[in-house]
Amino acid sequence: MLNTTPTSTPARLTTPAASKLPRALLWVVGLIYILAGLFFRDPWKSDDVIGLAAMLSALQQPSWQAIITPQIGELAYAEGGPLHIWLGALSIYLLSPFFQWFSSELDANILASRLPNLLYFLILITTLWQGVFRLAKQKAAQPLPLPFGGEPSPIDYGRMIADAALLLCVATIGILWRLHETSAVPLSLALYSSALYALSLYSKRPRTATILLTLALAGTLLNQGLGAAFSLGFGIILAFVLCVSLRPYAKQLLWVIFGTALLCSLWILPAQQSNYWWQQWWLWHQAQLHWPDPSSILRSGRDLLWFLWPTWPLALIAVWQWRAWLRFAHIAIPLSLAIGPLCYLLFAQQAFEPEYTWLVIPSATLAAFSLPTLRRGAINSFDWFAVMCFSLITATIWLGWIALHTGWPPKIAHSIARQTQGFDTSIAWPALVVAIIGSLAWLMLVLWRLRTHPPALWRGTVLSAGGLITAWLLLVTLWMPALDYARSYRHVSHQLAQQIHALTPNSCVRTVNLGLGQRASFYVFDALNFSFNSKCRYILQQTSPKLSASEQDIFPFPTTEIWRGRRGGDRNEMFRLLDTQAF
């Protein structure tokens, strides 16, 4: 009885609504999405530059232990896992010498460190599409047969749902920047997507599915630590409990657990040789969890409203509309993979975007299955919201750029000038041309929707993905120089390095209140290492220009300021290099 498919289905669809989305359009969307903003910029704090600093430290530190146990210079970076650091360091080691033929060593390292993101994105879109396609082709997921025929074939229907899931994933606001940084997040998305694909594969190729699921779970632990592994692992176990088509393969979970433990032990055993690092790693994990706190839960819920837009409302609709199908794979698998991260967020101390990304893949999958259950009016509302929202964002980006270069409107120009004080506002004409072409492409897409009234169900997802990509393209073409100026530590790091090199040889410099992102930036740009010796003569202090001189002088002994600096236009952060033996 449990295996009986309900006689009715909430999905209503005709063949024209499942018409094929041009493959060239999907590839263009994907390439613009991942390539725009990935290169030709500095790493920004925090996770972006921290990841790069750990990759460089693995290659530059004399001890092999820096590869096994990640560091930032001489500081133990005992958070998450080392997998994305290993892959980034390997890319730098292999490809940076080639890039140095036409760029500096620093820029070559930055460029090489981001190339693995292309691989992660390819794995993400491939496994997500294939996984959703397999789920949508199953009998329980099919739309209701029409009285006189005309419903799409399982292949056409599965392709349409898979296309929609891919576009909805790309349209998710919260991962837009994260997929372009050298952190654990891009690889995490690829691993979660691979787990979805592996679960969808069990009914056809159980042995391959077990191997792939093992690699996904082990990679998740090695990439983001125990919290991410428990989140995914719980979701996998729940999928085998809920989904009737997976229950015959429940014994395969033992092989998955055994294989995961075996693969992870290859890192855990040598990592334990560094007692201090291993102790800090455990302390970091313990600090991530606490008993459920209403304020933390409300904060995570508030953040998820924008982070998972536009998929979360559609995902909730899918769960409700398909509530009689919760034991079938197309709902049970993504729902289980969403419940795992949600349970983790209940106990998370300071959950933020790296943890929120675990919900992106199951939310996009569920959202895609909601589309054939929506009425025409709801679908049209989804279309028009995307058109109005992203048209307004596009106009705002252009208005800000005009204000930056012309001074009009004056209030907006004044606000921007405060954030980019000292910035050279010369126009990069090639970037401007690309921005104009991108804006025209968005206008053509909107006109296509207005004039043709396409019946295809993927039209709303194309508008959402196209609008977000247009906004992102405008940001990285029109605003990237200004954003780089405001958020990069390259110039202030060079200034600090000049001051430190001017000191007596082998001078000892320690830090006070220096953030991890700032420490990583100084290491990346100028290979600056700071001592932990409390008797160092020189001190690098991170403080705020908003504080008075007496509030900045927090030391019980006299000091002389040798240098002070900050990023252009930064009103909240300042650095001071102090001499403690000037008297």
Side-chain angles (χ1 to χ4, degrees), residues 230-498:
F230 286 145
S231 171
L232 179 59
F234 181 75
I236 291 171
I237 294 173
L238 188 60
F240 277 88
V241 173
L242 290 181
C243 183
V244 292
S245 63
L246 286 179
R247 290 175 191 170
Y249 307 100
K251 293 182 179 179
Q252 299 294 327
L253 278 175
L254 297 176
W255 288 106
V256 172
I257 296 172
F258 174 76
T260 299
L262 180 62
L263 290 175
C264 293
S265 66
L266 298 178
W267 169 69
I268 291 174
L269 294 177
Q272 289 178 331
Q273 303 302 312
S274 178
N275 293 329
Y276 174 78
W277 192 96
W278 189 250
Q279 181 183 26
Q280 295 300 310
W281 190 75
W282 274 108
L283 290 175
W284 179 82
H285 277 89
Q286 293 172 18
Q288 303 307 302
L289 300 176
H290 68 151
W291 289 109
D293 177 60
S295 61
S296 297
I297 296 174
L298 289 175
R299 183 174 61 251
S300 295
R302 177 202 63 198
D303 293 343
L304 285 172
L305 292 179
W306 69 264
F307 188 89
L308 291 178
W309 185 266
T311 61
W312 70 264
L314 297 175
L316 293 178
I317 292 173
V319 174
W320 173 254
Q321 296 281 40
W322 292 92
R323 59 191 180 277
W325 284 259
L326 295 182
R327 64 183 185 274
F328 293 98
H330 68 292
I331 300 298
I333 289 176
L335 180 61
S336 299
L337 293 181
I339 291 175
L342 287 174
C343 291
Y344 178 85
L345 292 178
L346 292 176
F347 297 92
Q349 177 73 21
Q350 293 180 335
F352 195 50
E353 293 176 5
E355 290 76 29
Y356 300 158
T357 55
W358 305 340
L359 287 163
V360 170
I361 300 302
S363 294
T365 304
L366 288 171
F369 281 105
S370 76
L371 296 180
T373 71
L374 297 176
R375 295 183 179 273
R376 181 179 296 273
I379 296 174
N380 289 335
S381 299
F382 182 63
D383 294 358
W384 295 122
F385 179 84
V387 169
M388 291 186 295
C389 178
F390 289 110
S391 295
L392 180 60
I393 292 174
T394 299
T396 302
I397 295 172
W398 273 110
L399 181 62
W401 183 83
I402 292 172
L404 174 67
H405 291 278
T406 66
W408 181 90
K411 289 186 177 180
I412 298 178
H414 177 68
S415 177
I416 295 174
R418 287 191 304 170
Q419 303 295 327
T420 57
Q421 184 179 357
F423 173 65
D424 179 13
T425 58
S426 59
I427 297 177
W429 293 104
L432 178 61
V433 171
V434 173
I436 293 174
I437 294 174
S439 300
L440 292 176
W442 169 246
L443 180 61
M444 292 174 61
L445 186 62
V446 173
L447 292 176
W448 165 79
R449 175 63 182 89
L450 290 172
R451 292 178 177 178
T452 62
H453 303 287
L457 203 60
W458 43 256
R459 63 182 185 271
T461 59
V462 168
L463 288 169
S464 295
L468 186 66
I469 290 173
T470 300
W472 176 243
L473 184 64
L474 293 183
L475 283 176
V476 300
T477 51
L478 299 179
W479 284 96
M480 186 57 73
L483 292 173
D484 230 14
Y485 176 79
R487 304 197 63 178
S488 171
Y489 284 82
R490 182 187 291 255
H491 298 298
V492 69
S493 178
H494 290 345
Q495 295 171 11
L496 175 60
Q498 289 178 358

